Every structure is written in C-alpha cells, then in structure tokens.
Amino acid sequence: AHGFAEMGAEVIKYTSLDDIYDKVTRNDIVVDYIDQSKAILNKFNVQPHCIDYPEELKPFMGRKIWVDTIDSINSNPSKWGIFVKPVKEKAFTGKIINSPKDLIGCGSESDNYEVLCSEVLNMKREWRCFVKYDEIADIKPYRGDYHYNYDPNVVDQILESFKTISGRPMGCSVDIAVVEQEGKLKTVFLEMNDGYSLGAYGLHHLDYAKVLSARWSQLLGVEDEYDFRKYR
C-alpha cells in the first residue's frame, strides 16, 4: 500500500474479497494471498504459470529433482531423508521428510498430493532475488547464518540464463542459497516463485510494488503504469 501510494496510485483497502470482486477491472492490481489473487485473475480467465525449476536454471541447482506422491513416500522408508514440496502451488510448506510424522499437514485422507522431491542440501544461508523486467531489483536474506554470502558472479550467470526462459514472468523471485558440498561452499539456485502474490522479505516498498505491478500487467495484458524504464 505504501509503495503504490507513493507512486500516486489510488489505494483501496478491503476486508473480504467479496467487497471488491465485482468492482475490480483489468487495470487494477490486487495485493493479497495466493488463493485470493488467483480468484481475481480467474475472473479475467488468466491462469498464471511459473515453473519452479525451469530447465534453463537446472545447471545451477546442485541437486537432483524428481516427482513422487505423498502416499508413496509415506509407505517407503527408503524414500525418506529428502526434501519435498507440493506440485500444487503452496498446498503446504516444503519440508524435509525423515519419518511419517514429518508428513503431518502435507495432505489429507483424500489428497495424495504430487510432490517435487530433491536431495537435501547443507544450506548455510538463503536469499530471495527479486526480478523485475529481467533485472534484479534487490536480494534479501531470509534464512541462515550471516557469516556466509553468495557469489555474485554465479548470480549474474543465473540471471543471464533466466533471460533465456520463454514466457518468463516479468515480476518474480529467484531464490538462491550458499551450500556446503564436499567441504566447499557453493552458490546454488533453489526455486522460482511467481510475482503476482509474493512475500516481500524486507524488500523496499517501492520496489515491491513495482515487482507486483510488472507481473500483474503482464498477466492481464495491460500497460504497466509503474514501469519507469522509459525515463532512463
């Protein structure tokens, strides 16, 4: 709200999505949780698509990724000791699975979720790179030991590869981490997150608003009023 207001936007606060649903137009930006934001996009027949692990960035991952199901992992101890996250966006928070107890909250009796599985990394610190129009707006740490820092050269390489992704989001995050592998520190790519509903993680309010605006404008096919690159 502060970011958009500072750029001259009219900011309308609401309590329930029902209060604004019928009033929202394609030129509006709704800042809300994922399900609420999707409801507005669905109103305009827009289905956002952002691949967590695009092929172009897999060389930077430093680990293997595969697909399985919750039930299969639960019933096979040989599959434990991995990190899982839902294929369905934000169905649950990704976590390391070492026993069935760790699967509590990862589904229900009727839902055998497909999950993305990966080898567990010895992560020292994690960051969120906020990307707007193929440029990094800022990089914010969100977990880990402050003694570690990423390799900016690797981040530059990740960004260059990101630019080759067809249909890539104009507003999104590219999460990275420093991990220890075989006694050496390495900067790796963790995952991409769509920018239509994205945690700010301390990003300056103006930059945050611009990231949201870039993605919403792209999805709805309208001019981004807050794309100020033309003034450079």
Side-chain angles (χ1 to χ4, degrees), residues 136-155:
I136 292 179
D138 207 345
I139 300 178
K140 293 295 183 179
Y142 62 85
R143 187 180 295 114
D145 186 338
Y146 71 90
H147 290 95
Y148 297 90
N149 209 347
Y150 55 82
D151 183 340
N153 294 318
V154 174
V155 176

Side-chain angles (χ1 to χ4, degrees), residues 72-176:
S72 176
I73 293 170
N74 181 55
S75 58
N76 289 280
S78 62
K79 295 184 176 183
W80 300 347
I82 60 172
F83 176 84
V84 304
K85 60 175 289 187
V87 171
K88 180 182 177 182
E89 191 174 24
K90 305 301 181 185
F92 61 85
T93 302
K95 58 168 60 177
I96 295 173
I97 306 301
N98 289 313
S99 73
K101 182 175 67 174
D102 297 321
L103 289 165
I104 295 173
C106 295
S108 69
E109 292 180 0
S110 59
D111 291 322
N112 182 22
Y113 282 126
E114 273 197 330
V115 290
L116 292 166
C117 309
S118 72
E119 299 167 315
V120 176
L121 295 173
N122 181 11
M123 288 192 280
K124 300 300 183 181
R125 200 178 188 197
E126 301 169 54
W127 293 263
R128 172 154 288 184
C129 305
F130 292 90
V131 181
K132 171 173 59 71
Y133 293 117
D134 290 345
E135 297 178 354
I136 292 179
D138 207 345
I139 300 178
K140 293 295 183 179
Y142 62 85
R143 187 180 295 114
D145 186 338
Y146 71 90
H147 290 95
Y148 297 90
N149 209 347
Y150 55 82
D151 183 340
N153 294 318
V154 174
V155 176
D156 289 342
Q157 294 170 30
I158 291 173
L159 183 63
E160 288 305 308
S161 295
F162 169 85
K163 293 177 184 178
T164 68
I165 300 172
S166 177
R168 62 192 176 279
M170 290 296 101
C172 66
S173 76
V174 174
D175 292 355
I176 62 171

